[in-house]
Amino acid sequence: MEQWIDIQTLIWLFPIMFILHDFEEIIMGEKWLNKNSTILYERLPKKIADRVMKQFSMSTAQFAVAVIVIFIFVSSSTFVANQYVNQGPYGDIYFFTVVTLTYFLHAFTHLAQSIFLRSITPGALTSLIIVIPYSFILYHSLLVNKVITWDIIFVCLPFCLLLIPIALLAHWIGKKVI
């Protein structure tokens, strides 16, 4: 297993990569939405624009709380993946695979938003320079070192949809707490 960065380091980098990406969203989100809400209404049907505004209209503090809720899943998936690699009692690679796949796919939504809205959207820059490269390196290493297989990836893909309600719940908690 001669490589420039080991599997455990790549796994433990996941929460750090997540935070770097979400810091961009936390810092830019509220200001960007306030400044660009008219663009949303120009480019989207009114019903969809209303839903987007309702879902994402939150203060920076509220969004930070939502990120903390999601970070619990990121951190716990990282812990159990590390346990899996070390053959620990709490090891599970499926949970980590679902969470990291969701994170990876989520990056492409930021890029699509930027293209569709013809604007740099919150999360687009770190998606391009952090999330996507990290994810490619992570999955390449996990596959090459037989920590996961393509079968595991394909089994986990549908479960990524289950994290959407969790993200929506995190937004709701953020709005209720602050």
Side-chain angles (χ1 to χ4, degrees), residues 99-175:
V99 175
T100 56
L101 277 172
T102 304
Y103 173 71
F104 176 60
L105 296 171
H106 169 76
F108 291 98
T109 65
H110 287 294
L111 300 179
Q113 290 165 359
S114 289
I115 291 166
F116 181 73
L117 298 172
R118 297 184 204 126
S119 168
I120 299 292
T121 58
L125 292 175
T126 53
S127 288
L128 195 59
I129 64 173
I130 292 175
V131 178
I132 294 170
Y134 164 75
S135 297
F136 277 128
I137 293 166
L138 173 69
Y139 281 107
H140 173 75
S141 294
L142 292 173
L143 288 163
V144 165
N145 290 287
K146 298 180 178 19
V147 176
I148 63 170
T149 62
W150 283 104
D151 287 343
I152 290 173
I153 291 173
F154 291 127
V155 164
C156 290
L157 266 173
F159 291 95
C160 293
L161 296 173
L162 295 176
L163 293 185
I164 295 170
I166 292 170
L168 296 174
L169 176 65
H171 284 209
W172 180 82
I173 291 170
K175 290 177 180 179

